[in-house]
Amino acid sequence: MDKMKNTYEVLRECKVNVATGLSAYEAAKRLRQNGTNELESKKKPTMVQLFIEQLLEPMVLILLAASVLSLFMKEYLDVAMIVAVVIVNALIGVIQEYKAEQAMEALQELTRPKAFVKRDGLIHEVEARELVVGDIVLLEAGNRVPADLRLIESRNLKVEESLLTGESEAVEKSHEWYCEKPVELQEQKNMVFMSTFVTYGSALGVVVACGMDSEVGKVAAILRDTKEEKTPLQKRLAQLSKLLGIGALAICLLMFLVGVLRKAELLDMLMLSISLAVAAIPEGLPAVVTIVLALGMQRMSRHHAIVRKLHAVETLGSVSVICSDKTGTLTQNQMRVEETYCASAFGSTSTHLLLGLALCNEVHIQDEQLIGEPTETALVEYARSKGYDKRSLSKMYTLVDTIAFDSARKMMTSVYRHQGEIISFTKGAVEQILKRCTHIEKENGIVSLQEMDRKQIMQAMETMGKQAYRTIAVAMKKDGQMPEQHMIFIGLVAMIDPPRKEAKEAIALCHKAGISVRMITGDHPLTALAIARKLKIAEKEEEVCSGSMLDEMNDAAFAQQIDRFRVFARVTPAHKVRIVEQLQKRGEVVAMSGDGVNDAPSVKKADIGIAMGKGSDVCKQASDLILSDDNFSLIVRAVEEGRTIYANICKAVLYLLSCNLGEIMALFLSVLLMPRGTAVLCAIQILWVNMVTDALPALALGVDPLDRFVMEEAPRHPKESLFAHGGGLFTVLNGMLIGTMTLVAFRYGMNRSLLCAQTMAFMVLSISQLFHAMNLTSFTHSIWEVGIAKNRWLLLTVCFGIALQVCTVLIPALRMLLKTVLLEMNEWIVVMLASLLVIAVNEISKWAAR
Ligand code: ATP
């Protein structure tokens, strides 16, 4: 009951000195003793459990049951072979699932939360899971609370605790609150709890409970709820595979009946039908999708884009509008002061301007290094270069209060005590500052601010804006009254923030890919337009919409004009939500970037919410994608990856389905047409084909490298079927082609013997499927154009599969097991020609389509 003790007691109990924090040694000791500060997640299935799950698939069970029948018939070799194939297939399944699981876990590692902690008297950033009871933790707006903390200091602290209380409104917290008797969680104002978010203010607290001892740790339901929901594509494919599975089962049953009617061997027919069902039911489809998505996520994380939710990978591929921040994302965020304006003159500075720049900010100085936001460090650096060093000034000026910057107010204030008097400096967007000024500092002293002065200042700012400068106005107040009102205007500073070169290229790529790019910024319209011009986002003034214009338009008027606006300037976080909403109403799939605490709603609202790695935890929590480097080109790269991943899933699915169709067709037709229902393949051969041609090539297609043609197409509609753009016809025709060629080879082999015919059919069915996988590297471009070795994995699986296939006739033991015979030269030639036909036909049709 830490909240009922006073702070002193709590600190004593935690055995920590608040001035220095724990020592690194003590922290390490406590970590060893009590374990990491983590919430336990669900137990994961072990490899063995996964393996058993694979064996318990209904069709596999039926197959195993049927092979018991073969045992009675003393077909021992058959049984051994069936069991071996089933085991190999199950192993492939286990490895697939395990890989997918591992990939997901690796991603979780990347998004591990961090915390600022005081140890040995210094502030360190550590992983939140390394916190121990007694650690002194610093919190500021935007942070995720890393453990249960008792507050020691707090300043205007507000915390959003919806995870624990269900209340989405942030609540005020204070170290000063104290209560004698135990109260409900919601009432404990001197405590902040793990996994909640600081939305305003700052604080210092001591860790009183970690991991499973924390309040969230006690709410088991929260932990259970963290399971990932299936993505739309996963759901669709699960449905599809169920449907196709029923279809395949029906055909197998029909085949069995036809076979029996045509007087085929009962047991042979039974084994054949069941094996075909095992081979043709696409039960592996959802697993392939999951693993492709997960591997795609991993690949993206290597390119500094961490996908937080699996479904985002799919959505990324259909993004049609990217709304991007300006500062840092489209520009380099390497600010430098280029120009100043004081007392009606460009290039002049005043003592108060430099004092304001040095003192009004949240920059920390550690070992001569300036730590803070680039806008602010540039200003502090500039003041320092003019002899106004923040550190030395701090000895004479004592900080009393700060009103933090937020992108809705667009200004901030620091209040100091100097020689017994209160002085405050405010800096921010020119309009915001000017609105609150009644006086101005000129060469001859402080005079009242005239309309003329206002005009001059606005003109000066426009001159700066047109040169793409970011402008900041500085004001002060000396009378100790309410800051930010009736202030004295001091001057302007202009900073240069050059656009990123790679952003320009990425924007050009977006235009080619049918994606529209909108700049959304808190900066002035003129500055925004100047940068937008350099990046080729916008050219004309009509393409710029300012926050005030937005306020004047109702939704209908805005909807009408939204298409023309490429740049939204001087907008607040609330405007951002409106922009996303209107774009979505037009059917756009919107990606929106953000970093501040207030950006969370728009980031959440967007189809793809993008948070910056350096941004607030609140925003990250609401996002689908986190960029570790806030560079616009990474967003485009992620879209490109998203498109590739979707295309790969499409390839894998169409491949599997056309192959299964080929298998079903060849077998069904042969049972229907051949004397006594003779099948083109025997049961074991079917299982073998399934093993060689199914999972591995499909997975290899799933990891097809980035497709250079993928950004030449318009964005995909999010509800588009996998069989769109002729995908369905492609599957059916190729399935029929593979099936027909198998029958043709069988017919040719019959010239010698049934065994030879089955061997030839076995070869063609398998090899043509492997060749067909090569067709799928591109739906539009020739294999040679794409490059035969572009996908190493695919080439490897195809070569390996063919080699394995050839072994089945060359190695006597396999020949016996798989009931094949040695082929003669002319038969080999027929096998190869029949298998290659599937490539030839596809190449011709791609060529004709172009
Ligand atoms: P974006 O990253 O969205 O493009 P931005 O950085 O341009 O946005 P904000 O950070 O909201 O937008 O800044 C808007 C305006 O507020 C700036 O043009 C500047 O005048 C002012 N401003 C920015 N940072 C500070 C700060 N640290 N202190 C005071 N004023 C600031």
Side-chain angles (χ1 to χ4, degrees):
M1 288 289 108
D2 307 296
K3 45 265 162 196
M4 284 150 55
K5 296 174 190 142
N6 65 35
T7 336
Y8 175 71
E9 284 171 322
V10 175
L11 288 168
R12 198 179 51 194
E13 206 157 274
C14 295
K15 298 201 193 76
V16 61
N17 176 347
V18 70
T20 57
L22 296 173
S23 67
Y25 173 78
E26 177 64 24
K29 195 173 104 190
R30 292 189 189 183
L31 191 66
R32 264 197 314 277
Q33 271 168 4
N34 304 322
T36 51
N37 172 34
E38 279 174 305
L39 300 174
E40 280 164 22
S41 47
K42 281 191 320 263
K43 283 258 177 312
K44 294 192 190 65
T46 61
M47 282 277 216
V48 177
Q49 279 167 326
L50 284 177
F51 184 70
I52 293 173
E53 241 170 61
Q54 294 280 332
L55 291 184
L56 291 182
E57 289 275 333
M59 282 323 293
V60 175
L61 280 182
I62 296 178
L63 181 66
L64 290 176
S67 50
V68 174
L69 276 185
S70 302
L71 260 184
F72 287 118
M73 310 297 287
K74 302 215 166 53
E75 305 265 9
Y76 301 123
L77 278 184
D78 275 15
V79 177
M81 195 61 195
I82 289 175
V83 171
V85 170
V86 163
I87 289 179
V88 171
N89 265 332
L91 279 178
I92 295 177
V94 169
I95 294 169
Q96 264 181 27
E97 293 218 0
Y98 190 71
K99 263 302 272 186
E101 189 75 34
Q102 264 189 331
M104 299 294 294
E105 251 173 52
L107 288 163
Q108 272 165 12
E109 300 259 306
L110 291 172
T111 48
R112 271 205 201 133
K114 300 263 193 328
F116 283 99
V117 57
K118 197 189 265 185
R119 284 186 188 161
D120 291 317
L122 289 174
I123 311 286
H124 303 272
E125 188 176 19
V126 300
E127 282 198 15
R129 62 195 211 116
E130 287 169 20
L131 290 184
V132 294
V133 169
D135 261 328
I136 304 290
V137 173
L138 275 76
L139 291 177
E140 57 179 65
N143 285 168
R144 169 187 175 276
V145 178
D148 286 2
L149 306 178
R150 166 68 188 256
L151 296 173
I152 302 168
E153 280 172 27
S154 61
R155 204 177 265 167
N156 309 326
L157 189 65
K158 281 192 191 161
V159 179
E160 196 255 295
E161 297 184 322
S162 59
L163 179 75
L164 281 175
T165 61
E167 177 59 62
S168 62
E169 194 75 13
V171 289
E172 286 179 15
K173 298 271 180 173
S174 168
H175 64 289
E176 285 165 352
W177 184 89
Y178 183 67
C179 182
E180 293 281 331
K181 44 183 201 311
V183 288
E184 293 285 318
L185 219 66
Q186 289 96 311
E187 305 294 316
Q188 297 171 15
K189 302 286 183 210
N190 58 9
M191 289 284 299
V192 288
F193 303 104
M194 184 161 172
S195 297
T196 60
F197 288 95
V198 180
T199 59
Y200 199 81
S202 55
L204 192 73
V206 55
V207 176
V208 293
C210 279
M212 292 309 282
D213 297 333
S214 69
E215 293 296 336
V216 262
K218 290 181 197 157
V219 191
I222 296 177
L223 302 181
R224 254 186 273 119
D225 279 353
T226 50
K227 114 163 175 264
E228 178 107 22
E229 235 222 286
K230 290 258 175 290
T231 78
L233 193 60
Q234 280 176 319
K235 283 188 205 153
R236 247 159 58 194
L237 276 168
Q239 259 170 2
L240 180 75
S241 76
K242 207 188 254 168
L243 209 70
L244 291 176
I246 294 173
L249 210 59
I251 294 180
C252 293
L253 196 68
L254 192 65
M255 187 175 87
F256 177 71
L257 293 177
V258 170
V260 171
L261 283 178
R262 305 202 64 218
K263 309 217 167 22
E265 275 284 339
L266 196 66
L267 184 66
D268 282 355
M269 210 55 225
L270 186 68
M271 291 304 285
L272 190 73
S273 312
I274 297 173
S275 305
L276 183 61
V278 170
I281 291 177
E283 78 287 341
L285 269 190
V288 169
V289 177
T290 309
I291 190 166
V292 171
L293 285 175
L295 289 177
M297 280 167 92
Q298 237 179 1
R299 186 158 66 178
M300 288 168 76
S301 75
R302 280 201 289 277
H303 296 114
H304 310 286
I306 298 159
V307 179
R308 289 190 57 240
K309 295 168 193 158
L310 206 54
H311 73 81
V313 184
E314 275 167 61
T315 319
L316 266 172
S318 39
V319 163
S320 60
V321 178
I322 302 178
C323 296
S324 169
D325 275 351
K326 173 179 72 69
T327 312
T329 313
L330 292 167
T331 65
Q332 296 175 8
N333 215 5
Q334 286 175 352
M335 314 255 185
R336 201 177 55 231
V337 173
E338 288 281 303
E339 178 74 280
T340 52
Y341 176 91
C342 269
S344 319
F346 279 103
S348 73
T349 50
S350 69
T351 302
H352 280 132
L353 182 72
L354 294 170
L355 263 180
L357 296 181
L359 293 173
C360 177
N361 51 65
E362 292 189 284
V363 171
H364 300 281
I365 307 177
Q366 225 169 31
D367 307 328
E368 292 306 307
Q369 279 251 10
L370 301 184
I371 299 162
E373 209 247 317
T375 305
E376 301 208 324
T377 51
L379 298 176
V380 173
E381 185 59 55
Y382 178 74
R384 184 154 76 173
S385 74
K386 299 281 174 192
Y388 288 75
D389 180 26
K390 177 167 184 175
R391 219 165 12 177
S392 0
L393 286 169
S394 306
K395 290 178 192 136
M396 293 175 281
Y397 290 81
T398 323
L399 186 65
V400 184
D401 198 7
T402 28
I403 309 176
F405 176 79
D406 89 61
S407 38
R409 287 175 354 105
K410 298 193 176 15
M411 56 179 198
M412 70 155 294
T413 297
S414 305
V415 185
Y416 285 91
R417 186 189 306 281
H418 175 59
Q419 296 174 345
E421 285 183 8
I422 293 290
I423 179 167
S424 70
F425 293 97
T426 303
K427 74 177 196 311
V430 184
E431 311 90 288
Q432 296 297 325
I433 299 289
L434 211 50
K435 248 194 330 216
R436 294 169 172 81
C437 286
T438 48
H439 289 75
I440 177 167
E441 186 183 51
K442 292 198 169 171
E443 281 139 351
N444 47 356
I446 293 165
V447 294
S448 75
L449 185 74
Q450 303 298 321
E451 211 35 52
M452 192 57 199
D453 299 318
R454 285 182 199 273
K455 265 202 191 126
Q456 270 182 355
I457 294 166
M458 290 313 284
Q459 264 169 9
M461 190 211 56
E462 281 176 18
T463 313
M464 292 168 161
K466 280 185 186 148
Q467 297 174 70
Y469 287 158
R470 182 172 168 83
T471 48
I472 299 257
V474 182
M476 66 170 179
K477 182 143 175 107
K478 278 177 133 176
D479 53 12
Q481 310 265 313
M482 284 289 282
E484 298 192 347
Q485 280 172 24
H486 307 296
M487 294 188 293
I488 306 161
F489 184 86
I490 304 175
L492 300 178
V493 225
M495 281 168 285
I496 188 155
D497 180 18
R500 287 176 184 268
K501 206 171 112 260
E502 58 292 14
K504 191 171 171 184
E505 288 156 18
I507 287 162
L509 187 63
C510 283
H511 291 158
K512 206 162 93 180
I515 300 167
S516 116
V517 180
R518 317 282 168 110
M519 175 196 281
I520 306 208
T521 176
D523 234 335
H524 191 271
L526 285 172
T527 314
L529 180 60
I531 298 276
R533 280 192 177 131
K534 291 189 185 179
L535 290 167
K536 301 235 174 318
I537 292 179
E539 272 305 319
K540 302 188 241 38
E541 266 172 51
E542 303 91 81
E543 292 172 310
V544 182
C545 176
S546 68
S548 47
M549 276 166 76
L550 250 177
D551 287 333
E552 278 164 21
M553 275 185 269
N554 61 20
D555 278 348
F558 182 37
Q560 242 179 16
Q561 301 188 54
I562 195 165
D563 223 20
R564 123 175 111 95
F565 298 133
R566 304 280 126 179
V567 175
F568 295 89
R570 278 290 191 251
V571 290
T572 62
H575 289 133
K576 286 190 175 187
V577 179
R578 209 174 148 205
I579 297 169
V580 176
E581 265 170 6
Q582 286 303 330
L583 285 168
Q584 283 175 333
K585 268 196 196 147
R586 292 173 48 87
E588 307 282 6
V589 178
V590 185
M592 162 75 87
S593 69
D595 50 10
V597 188
N598 302 337
D599 287 337
S602 58
V603 164
K604 194 162 194 153
K605 178 98 203 144
D607 301 278
I608 293 288
I610 304 167
M612 300 307 170
K614 291 193 209 85
S616 65
D617 294 342
V618 181
C619 192
K620 284 187 207 164
Q621 176 72 13
S623 71
D624 307 292
L625 185 71
I626 300 177
L627 301 182
S628 50
D629 173 9
D630 59 347
N631 183 341
F632 180 78
S633 61
L634 288 183
I635 304 180
V636 181
R637 176 73 203 238
V639 170
E640 198 173 356
E641 283 279 4
R643 285 188 176 194
T644 303
I645 291 167
Y646 183 85
N648 288 353
I649 289 178
C650 208
K651 290 171 189 176
V653 170
L654 297 192
Y655 168 74
L656 281 176
L657 294 187
S658 39
C659 291
N660 286 358
L661 194 69
E663 288 166 13
I664 291 184
M665 186 187 139
L667 274 141
F668 188 71
L669 284 184
S670 67
V671 170
L672 193 69
L673 302 176
M674 293 288 169
R676 294 197 61 214
T678 311
V680 280
L681 266 69
C682 65
I684 292 168
Q685 289 171 341
I686 297 171
L687 291 174
W688 176 274
V689 171
N690 185 46
M691 185 179 77
V692 174
T693 64
D694 249 33
L696 291 183
L699 275 182
L701 281 170
V703 294
D704 218 11
L706 218 55
D707 184 345
R708 66 195 149 105
F709 307 112
V710 88
M711 289 301 261
E712 286 173 10
E713 292 152 24
R716 170 180 61 85
H717 190 278
K719 296 231 167 74
E720 185 182 287
S721 144
L722 281 164
F723 302 110
H725 309 298
L729 193 66
F730 172 89
T731 310
V732 172
L733 291 183
N734 277 298
M736 281 166 60
L737 185 61
I738 292 171
T740 311
M741 282 303 113
T742 307
L743 289 170
V744 168
F746 181 81
R747 180 67 202 77
Y748 187 89
M750 279 304 267
N751 292 337
R752 180 142 73 101
S753 68
L754 178 63
L755 275 186
C756 168
Q758 284 187 329
T759 307
M760 284 183 71
F762 174 48
M763 287 294 167
V764 171
L765 185 60
S766 186
I767 297 175
S768 61
Q769 290 187 22
L770 291 167
F771 281 157
H772 181 48
M774 304 294 290
N775 284 329
L776 279 140
T777 46
S778 168
F779 290 112
T780 46
H781 292 74
S782 143
I783 296 176
W784 319 113
E785 221 176 321
V786 173
I788 198 153
K790 176 191 151 209
N791 185 339
R792 291 178 287 135
W793 290 113
L794 186 63
L795 195 62
L796 207 71
T797 25
V798 170
C799 292
F800 177 68
I802 294 177
L804 216 55
Q805 202 60 33
V806 173
C807 285
T808 61
V809 292
L810 293 188
I811 298 176
L814 281 179
R815 215 157 50 218
M816 197 166 69
L817 282 170
L818 284 155
K819 306 190 170 72
T820 59
V821 291
L822 270 177
L823 294 182
E824 285 162 13
M825 198 39 144
N826 59 324
E827 289 158 349
W828 273 122
I829 292 173
V830 172
V831 164
M832 273 307 155
L833 286 180
S835 307
L836 278 171
L837 196 71
V838 74
I839 291 191
V841 169
N842 278 280
E843 285 292 303
I844 293 170
S845 79
K846 283 179 196 173
W847 173 78
R850 278 206 302 279

